[in-house]
Each structure stands twice: as C-alpha cells, then as structure tokens.
Amino acid sequence: MSEILAVRDLEKTFGSLVAARDITVSIPAEQTVGVIGANGAGKTTFINMITGHLVPSKGTILFENKDITGLPSREITRLGISRSFQVAQIFPTLTVRENMVVAAAIARRGGGMLGAVTTPVHSPAALAEAEATVELFQISRYADTPAGLLPQGVRKLLDIGMAVVGWPRLLLLDEPTSGISIEEKFDLMQVVMSALKTRRITVLFVEHDMEIVGRFADRVLAFYEGTVIADGTPEQTLGDAKVQELITGVKARSAGTSHV
Amino acid sequence: MLTAFAIFADGLVYAAYLFIVAIGLTLIFGVMKILNVTHGSFYAFGAYGAATAVGIYANAGWPAALGFLFMLAFGMAIGLVMGVILERGLLRLVYGRDEVIVVLVTYATFLILEDVIVLIWGAQSYAAYQPMVAAGNIEIGDLILSNYDLVLVALAAGLAALAYWALKYTRYGRLLTTVIFDRETAAAFGINVTVVYTATFILGAMLGALGGAVMAPKISVTLGIGVEVIVLAFAVVAIGGMGSIEGALVGALIVGICRAAAVHLVPQIELFVIYGVMALVLVVRPYGLFVRARPRKI
Amino acid sequence: MAARGHLVGALMFLIAAAVGPALPDWAVSLAAIAFANALVVLGLVVMWRAGLVSFGQALYYCIGAYAVALIARWTGFTDAVALVAIGGVGAGIVAALVGFLLARYREIFFAMLSLALSMILYGVLVKTESLGSTDGFSVATPTFFGLSLHGDKLILALYWLTLGIDAIAAAAVGYYFRSIAGALAAPIRDNEIRVEFLGVSVTGIVHGKVVIAGTLGGLGGALAALTIGHVDPAMAYWTTSGGFVFVTILAGAGSVAAAFVGSLLFEAARSIAVDVMPGLWQMLLGAVLLLTILFLPEGLGSLAARVGKRGEVKR
C-alpha cells in the first residue's frame, strides 16, 4: 500500500507551552486510524497542523509526497485533505441540501476566485453530487430542514458529509461522536465508516470511547503530553502498559468523558 | 520652538476634549458591545443644555464658578434622563440582535434626536462663551492660553484617574472589568448583566453629555455638532482599541497631537490626518493599540 | 425561474423607460437620481447578504461623481456613456485598493472603517479650494455619442442612460448571486471557518464584494453627477452613506428589484416630506428605520414577498 501521509518530527509550541512534539507517523492509503489520548494530549493540535489551521513550529508534513507544511487550510483542502469538527461547523440558515450543494459546488470549481464568480452554484453536477452524499449519509429525510434546527446526530453527519462531498483522499474526524448519546454513537459511526469505505477514503479519527476505537480502527495512535506513546493495531495499543496507565486507566477515562 | 510648544499645548487641549467624548463611547462598547451612534446626540444635548444653563445663570447674575458647575450638572442631568429612557425604552428590545443592527438602531435614534433638538431649541445657534471669558487667560512665555482650556485638561486628567481608580478598586468597577473581559463567565458567576448594562449605558450617556457641556463655551452650539463628534470619537476609540479606557486615552493623545501639528504646519490636511493616522494604526494593529484579536477555537 | 425573473425585470425596465416622455421634467429628473442612487443600494445589498454593512458607500459615490466632473472640466471630454464608465471603473479601483484593508474586518469595524475612509475624502475635498471647497462646482453638460442635447431632451436621455446601466447592473448582480461567490454570502455570514475549510478564501470573497459594491457606487455617483449637474463634498459625507444604508434596510436584501423600488420610494418620500413637513425629515427617517428593524427585520421587500406567498396559497 502506498503512503498517503508522512509526518516527521512535528512540533508545536505556544510560548513556553509545548502542545505537540516529536510526532513522526506514516499512514498508508485507505487505512482507518484511531487517535486516543486525554484532553490536552495534543490530538486536536495534531489535526489542526495537518489541516493548516495551525502552523507547526518544527517538522514537515508530506501529503502524497507533496510538502504541505504551513499551507493555509483552504489550499490543503483543495489538495485533498478534509476535516470535520468537534462542534459541527455548518451553515445554520441554509437547508441540509443547500449546505451540501454549496460544499459540492466549491469542491468542483476550478480557476480560483474567477472560477467562484463565473461558476453557478446550482450546476447539475453539484446538485447530483450533493444529493448522492446526502443519501450516502442517510439524511435525505432532513434534506429540506434548515441545518440550525437539526438534532445533534444529524448535524454531525451533515458536518462530515460536507467534508466528504468533494471526494477528499484523506479525512480527519475530530471527535465525530462528541455530544452524541451513548446509544446513538455506534449507529452514527456505522453510517460514517461505511460511507467512507465506499469512497475509499483514508481516515484519521479522534475518539474517547475505546470500544468504538477498537471496533472501527485498523490502527491506533495514543497521544500523551503532545507526543505519540504507542502506535499499532487496536489490540497492541490498547493493551500497551503505558497506554493503560496514562490514558485508558480510571483517571483518564473520567477526563475523557467530560470532553468540552 | 514656540511652534513646538504651541503644538503640544493645542494638542493636549484637543486630546482632553477627545478623551472626554471618547471615554463614554468606549465604555459602552466595551461592556455592551454596542457602538452607540446616539453618543453624538448625548454630546449635542449636553451642549444645548449647557447653553441654556449658561443663559439662566448669566441672567440670574450668579458667580462664575457656581455657574460653571451648574452648567455641567445641567448637562449631565440631561444625559442621565436620556440614558434611562433609551436603554430601558429601546435598546433593551434589541439586545442579542446582530451588532450591526444595534448600530442601526442607535443611528435611527440619532436621526430622530437631531430633529428633536430643532423642536426644543430651534434652528438657531447658541453662544455660551461666558464661562470661557470669566476664566480669563494666562501667558506662558509668548503663548497665551485660556484658563478654561487648562480646566478642560484637568477635567480629562481627573476623569482618566477616576476611571482607573474606579475600575481597579471599586466593586462596580471590578464587575465591569469582568464583564468586559468575558461576558459569559461573568453571567455564569451570577453577575446581574442587565443591571450592569443599564448602569453602564447611563454612565456613558452622562459622560457624552458632560463632553458637550464643557465644550459649549468653546464652540458655537449649532445643528450638526453631534455628527462630527461621533465620527471623531470613533476614530479615537478605534486607534486605542474599542472597549479599552487606556486605549481611548492614548488614542486621544495621538489624534490630538497629530491634529495640532497639522493645524500649525500643514492646515490643508487637518481633517485628513485624523483618519490617516487611524488607517495607519489599523494596518499594523487591526483591532487598535490595546486590543488583541482572539483567534476562534475549533 | 431565473428566466422568468429576467423577463419580469426586463419588462419593468421597459415600462419605466416608456413612461419617461409622459412625465413632467421634475419627475423624470427625480426618477433618474433615484435610479442612479439605486445602484449604490444594489452594492449595499451585495454586502448585506453576507452580513456586511458599509457606512461609507458615499466614498465611491463621490469618487464616481468627481471623476466625471473633473474629466469633463480638465479635458473637455463630455461623452456621457464613457464618463459614467470611467466613474465606475475609477471607484472600482479605489475599492480594490481599500479592500485590502477592509476585507480583514467584519461587522462594526467594517462599517465604521468604511465610514472613516469616506470622511477622509470629505476632509480632503472640503479643504481643496481649487475644487470649490464645500460649494463644489458644476458639471459640464454631457453629450451622447457626439450629440448635444438640452432641456427636457437632455433629462430624458440621462434618465434612459441610467435605466440602461441599471438593467445591465441588475442582470450582472443577478448572475453574481447565482454564482458560487455570490451564493457564499449566507455561508460567510453563518460560518466563516467552514467556508475556509471547504477551500475558499473568505477574505477573497469579501474583497470581491467590496469591489462590486464600490464599482456600483461609482456608477451611481457618476450618473447622479450628470443628472444633478453639480458635485460637492457632501456627496462623500456620512449622511449620504446613511441614506443609502437606510434604503437598503428598508428594501431588504431579498431581491435585486427591491433596491430600485426602494430607492424610488425614498426619493419620492423625501421630496414630499421636504414640502409637507420641513425640519422633520430626519425624524421621519429615524422612526421608519426603527420600526422596520423592530417589526420587519427582513425589510419591506419581505412584506411584499409575504403577501405574494399568501396569494399563491389561495390559488
């Protein structure tokens, strides 16, 4: 399998605070990688650096062998990396369909700013793409509902759907199940993961629930104090002594459930 | 040398005026996140009120010092009444709407009040020079300064000191600082934001009216004075950082000195220089000298 | 649906053009100024959809007006169509430049910085004695492709020119609203972060809107200068900007047509109010603005839309 993402010696400091350090990870295409760790362990910082929201203080990020370190997020998106958010980032005054159409139209446009002015937003192709993605994420029932009125789980699906509608090759999910009740979590992840599988997307997802990680991830990275302390199959990582002591132990679990 | 001193003296006097009109604006913005265009009306009503007050005391033949205090008190009383009516009667209804919408509400109110001035005081100009004349002049070297201007500078300095002390050492002041810094946390800690809003707006209104009252003897009190003030005060506040008291002070000094320099050296660019300085500052510091942009968390 | 909109729009412009000769001079001239100002309002609508309000559109209005007046005065070139085009392009270039500063701001800062920029121009013009300071100066009588017209013919020609440019602008803005950049207005108002992560520069889109609005403002100012026959610094003053914002809020951002209808009603109301109750015009403006914001947050245009919808249901 070819390597899609290669991160080398990544570091991020805010003044004297070290948010991430010595992160070196290589991810092959079409792998589904779970990311675990207590709050403040550097998981979101890691995702924010890959997607260009934060500029790393040190290190390099290669995506499909292209150096993307420090590029603005919109350019990284255009190269094929998308993300979803801990708190769903949607357009509350637009309907679900319109949300998806806007995302689809942007993803399909060419020619930079001029393209944005000359391409109609409601092109047949964008409409079809939006419709297909709405169906893929099983939210057709809500297609005409303003996104601001959606139940939490549907919001999450829309958020992820908008990241997927442009056919990214790498998707980063920042706590896809945060804010979702325990009963709904598995169903939601089932919908998301099968959708991503059909589009053959490489996935990195941050998750606090170890059962979900164990069930959906091919591989698990464990973060602690800004760096990766374990990297392997779910069995290996979750069975690691250090991981059990520092992350999945009783103390860390209580911190993990109170995610903000 | 004389020019340099004149620039400094004029600049200081102008800065004092700017600070007095800007402090109320920045206070209301800092606490309530409302850019209050009605501030110009407070200023205008304060000035018209002061002109009326001067007329009363000049006729009654009171001593000048008493007259001066009466003038200020009269102006501020008008500010108090207007503040109460506007905040309780109108602004309350639009809390929570878009910031820009609230600006438009204050703009609409400003338009209405401009015509209310005509209804009350008519379209003619008023002169209220008596306090200025009574204060007399002072000669420093070759420069003649009006004592009234010195009073103005002292008043501005006093206000700055009072604001500093009040924000730092009084209970209400610390409440305000908390609300300015983080409204949600303030509400979560049980601070009654509604009361703080009302009190702040009334205080801001009184400060705006005070600005008009102290300036009345120096200017011709006429239609349109409120317009100029709101634009000027905004420039000052934007330079310093909206919502910041020390920013208003520094902004007033910068604008005051720059304008005085322009008036003495290149009078053609007098108006230009104020906004030019503002644009320059904002290019370097987009949110003013004393406010940092906070990146949004995702 | 877009096609039907075009048809209705074209019909409205044709009707407006056809009734011109039947109207008295003062009415044609009033309508010409109203429709020139409507271009500025249209620019504000473009920004308002993205949640942006400029309290300084008079900057571009004044630049367009002075560009026309100065070129006619310095070079003797008086072709109306070319002058108006130059006014629009000139204002557009200025908008492109100040856009680098403005596009970084939102909400109040955007509004007030625009205001400050327009006040800079006002300050400069007031102090420029060679251009008549506060009095301004007269604009040379324009010609139309070498044809010089006078009296009621001139007014009518300017009215038609204004309508023609309005029609082009309305079609262009309609096209823009259906493009990705135009459709991103509500998303930008809703959630800028998401727009950036979808792969679009929000600053770039906002900058584009500033340029469009500036160009429209310049065209409006150029047309107004020719129709009024005079320019003065008050064209850059903040009360001028305030009037445009007023019409925008009143008309609402719902449709392109609202800008034109709103502007016409505004000019008509002003000319009536000045006769009937001089001195209370601002109070009337303020009161109407307050009532609109409190009770019709989507503007008067939404009222028409609501009535229309009710009609549809009945059918």
Side-chain angles (χ1 to χ4, degrees):
Chain A
M1 265 194 283
S2 65
E3 180 188 63
I4 190 165
L5 183 77
V7 172
R8 226 169 289 134
D9 301 325
L10 212 55
E11 182 175 308
K12 180 69 192 177
T13 52
F14 299 97
S16 60
L17 178 82
V18 181
R21 62 187 162 87
D22 304 328
I23 303 177
T24 300
V25 174
S26 162
I27 294 176
E30 293 185 48
Q31 195 171 50
T32 298
V33 182
V35 177
I36 61 171
N39 286 318
K43 306 180 304 287
T44 298
T45 306
F46 178 57
I47 286 189
N48 280 343
M49 285 192 285
I50 295 173
T51 54
H53 190 63
L54 291 175
V55 178
S57 313
K58 229 175 76 185
T60 52
I61 305 167
L62 299 182
F63 174 64
E64 297 177 339
N65 293 321
K66 188 179 183 317
D67 189 352
I68 59 163
T69 320
L71 289 183
S73 50
R74 55 175 180 276
E75 275 176 41
I76 290 177
T77 303
R78 267 180 248 158
L79 288 172
I81 302 180
S82 279
R83 70 169 292 175
S84 74
F85 301 83
Q86 255 180 64
V87 177
Q89 299 288 327
I90 51 179
F91 306 128
T93 61
L94 304 186
T95 64
V96 167
R97 184 180 286 115
E98 282 297 313
N99 267 276
M100 207 64 98
V101 168
V102 165
I106 291 174
R108 301 186 57 85
R109 118 201 117 109
M113 210 34 83
L114 199 66
V117 179
T118 52
T119 318
V121 69
H122 285 123
S123 68
L127 286 172
E129 197 70 78
E131 211 59 51
T133 310
V134 166
E135 262 167 46
L136 185 64
F137 282 85
Q138 303 176 21
I139 49 177
S140 305
R141 200 150 74 79
Y142 297 95
D144 296 312
T145 310
L149 305 176
L150 293 176
Q152 193 55 245
V154 185
R155 258 170 202 267
K156 283 281 191 180
L157 288 172
L158 174 61
D159 183 54
I160 298 168
M162 287 168 76
V164 167
V165 74
W167 291 85
R169 294 182 295 289
L170 173 63
L171 178 68
L172 298 103
L173 304 174
D174 194 357
E175 301 196 23
T177 64
S178 80
I180 305 292
S181 68
I182 296 171
E183 308 87 73
E184 287 174 287
K185 274 185 180 183
F186 261 89
D187 291 346
L188 180 116
M189 281 305 277
Q190 196 66 57
V191 172
V192 170
M193 287 303 173
S194 70
L196 300 181
K197 273 278 180 302
T198 58
R199 296 211 171 175
R200 304 178 58 185
I201 299 172
T202 312
V203 186
L204 226 95
F205 71 100
V206 173
E207 182 54 63
H208 285 292
D209 188 321
M210 296 308 150
E211 271 181 68
I212 286 182
V213 174
R215 164 81 180 71
F216 292 102
D218 304 330
R219 171 182 170 192
V220 179
L221 301 177
F223 273 74
Y224 183 73
E225 289 189 343
T227 196
V228 179
I229 56 165
D231 177 0
T233 62
E235 294 74 33
Q236 287 167 343
T237 304
L238 297 179
D240 185 280
K242 262 200 295 183
V243 170
Q244 287 184 342
E245 184 202 333
L246 298 169
I247 302 171
T248 57
V250 183
K251 257 187 179 169
R253 186 170 288 269
S254 69
T257 46
S258 68
H259 42 229
V260 188
Chain B
M1 188 55 218
L2 181 64
T3 317
F5 187 63
I7 288 175
F8 177 73
D10 285 358
L12 206 59
V13 172
Y14 196 62
Y17 150 70
L18 289 173
F19 179 69
I20 296 171
V21 294
I23 184 174
L25 189 73
T26 203
L27 183 71
I28 289 178
F29 183 84
V31 175
M32 307 168 77
K33 293 288 169 287
I34 291 177
L35 178 67
N36 179 31
V37 179
T38 323
H39 204 68
S41 311
F42 297 151
Y43 175 87
F45 272 76
Y48 274 96
T52 306
V54 167
I56 294 173
Y57 96 72
N59 282 337
W62 295 350
L66 185 63
F68 176 69
L69 291 178
F70 175 63
M71 177 183 88
L72 296 190
F74 198 85
M76 286 175 77
I78 290 180
L80 173 78
V81 174
M82 290 175 76
V84 172
I85 294 174
L86 280 180
E87 201 277 334
R88 286 289 85 194
L90 181 64
L91 286 179
R92 204 167 47 84
L93 305 176
V94 290
Y95 287 154
R97 301 267 302 258
D98 262 12
E99 285 179 23
V100 169
I101 293 291
V102 182
V103 179
L104 285 169
V105 167
T106 65
Y107 169 68
T109 313
F110 171 80
L111 285 178
I112 295 173
L113 290 174
E114 283 288 282
D115 279 350
V116 171
I117 289 177
V118 181
L119 290 180
I120 299 178
W121 284 284
Q124 71 268 38
S125 303
Y126 289 81
Y129 53 84
Q130 287 88 340
M132 183 110 175
V133 174
N137 293 328
I138 181 173
E139 279 180 48
I140 303 174
D142 290 330
L143 207 68
I144 300 172
L145 293 174
S146 163
N147 284 327
Y148 192 84
D149 284 345
L150 299 182
V151 171
L152 201 61
V153 173
L155 184 69
L159 268 182
L162 187 68
Y164 177 80
W165 171 79
L167 283 178
K168 204 144 191 183
Y169 297 107
T170 67
R171 206 184 95 82
Y172 176 71
R174 267 174 302 184
L175 274 183
L176 277 194
T177 323
T178 321
V179 177
I180 290 174
F181 188 71
D182 189 339
R183 198 182 334 190
E184 276 153 37
T185 313
F189 274 105
I191 292 173
N192 188 337
V193 177
T194 315
V195 174
V196 172
Y197 273 24
T198 309
T200 304
F201 193 81
I202 291 171
L203 190 61
M206 289 172 72
L207 285 167
L210 174 70
V214 290
M215 284 306 285
K218 279 175 65 75
I219 58 173
S220 165
V221 178
T222 186
L223 290 177
I225 52 173
V227 174
E228 263 169 66
V229 159
I230 182 67
V231 184
L232 269 179
F234 172 75
V236 168
V237 169
I239 288 172
M242 298 190 57
S244 156
I245 304 274
E246 60 265 54
L249 185 60
V250 174
L253 284 169
I254 291 174
V255 171
I257 301 284
C258 288
R259 195 195 87 127
V263 168
H264 282 276
L265 305 175
V266 238
Q268 298 87 338
I269 64 163
E270 178 200 336
L271 267 173
F272 173 83
V273 80
I274 296 171
Y275 304 107
V277 168
M278 180 180 100
L280 209 67
V281 168
L282 292 181
V283 167
V284 187
R285 300 271 313 196
Y287 292 90
L289 295 172
F290 285 81
V291 175
R292 270 188 183 285
R294 273 183 246 174
R296 204 173 127 187
K297 239 184 129 182
I298 56 170
Chain C
M1 209 182 87
R4 213 184 78 186
H6 284 150
L7 211 64
V8 173
L11 208 65
M12 276 168 62
F13 277 113
L14 285 177
I15 292 172
V19 298
L23 297 172
D25 278 0
W26 66 265
V28 178
S29 158
L30 183 139
I33 293 169
F35 287 141
N37 292 349
L39 290 169
V40 193
V41 175
L42 193 57
L44 278 164
V45 167
V46 169
M47 295 194 285
W48 182 229
R49 286 198 172 192
L52 298 166
V53 177
S54 158
F55 288 155
Q57 280 319 90
L59 171 70
Y60 312 108
Y61 188 69
C62 187
I63 287 172
Y66 268 73
V68 163
L70 287 175
I71 288 171
R73 176 170 156 147
W74 286 337
T75 67
F77 180 75
T78 54
D79 185 73
V81 178
L83 282 177
V84 171
I86 293 170
V89 171
I93 290 172
V94 172
L97 291 177
V98 300
F100 285 107
L101 179 67
L102 279 179
R104 298 153 68 188
Y105 295 94
R106 301 290 177 272
E107 303 203 320
I108 291 175
F109 269 91
F110 184 88
M112 295 306 282
L113 270 182
S114 312
L115 170 63
L117 291 169
S118 70
M119 292 303 286
I120 291 181
L121 179 65
Y122 175 77
V124 170
L125 290 178
V126 162
K127 292 277 171 182
T128 311
E129 309 225 329
S130 62
L131 297 180
S133 297
T134 48
D135 293 335
F137 61 97
S138 312
V139 184
T141 310
T143 54
F144 293 82
F145 307 111
L147 215 66
S148 57
L149 302 168
H150 297 282
D152 54 347
K153 285 210 181 78
L154 175 66
I155 296 172
L156 200 60
L158 284 167
Y159 173 68
W160 280 338
L161 174 64
T162 307
L163 278 179
I165 289 175
D166 280 8
I168 295 169
V173 169
Y175 180 81
Y176 172 75
F177 280 156
R178 287 188 295 277
S179 77
I180 294 177
L184 276 176
I188 285 176
R189 196 187 55 211
D190 274 3
N191 193 338
E192 288 193 13
I193 292 213
R194 176 44 113 175
V195 175
E196 282 279 334
F197 274 101
L198 287 175
V200 175
S201 160
V202 172
T203 312
I205 300 270
V206 170
H207 201 153
K209 289 181 193 298
V210 169
V211 173
I212 292 172
T215 307
L216 289 169
L219 290 172
L223 286 165
L226 291 179
T227 307
I228 300 168
H230 187 86
V231 293
D232 64 48
M235 293 181 114
Y237 202 54
W238 81 310
T239 47
T240 309
S241 299
F244 295 135
V245 172
F246 177 85
V247 179
T248 309
I249 302 297
L250 220 58
S255 77
V256 171
F260 297 95
V261 178
S263 190
L264 188 64
L265 289 178
F266 178 77
E267 285 301 323
R270 170 148 69 187
S271 67
I272 294 169
V274 169
D275 275 348
V276 179
M277 41 181 209
L280 290 181
W281 168 238
Q282 298 198 82
M283 186 178 283
L284 184 71
L285 275 187
V288 172
L289 187 56
L290 266 188
L291 293 175
T292 309
I293 290 173
L294 290 177
F295 300 110
L296 279 177
E298 307 287 317
L300 289 178
S302 72
L303 198 64
R306 234 183 279 172
V307 173
K309 246 183 208 149
R310 210 175 296 155
E312 266 170 38
V313 171
K314 268 181 198 161
R315 252 185 286 142

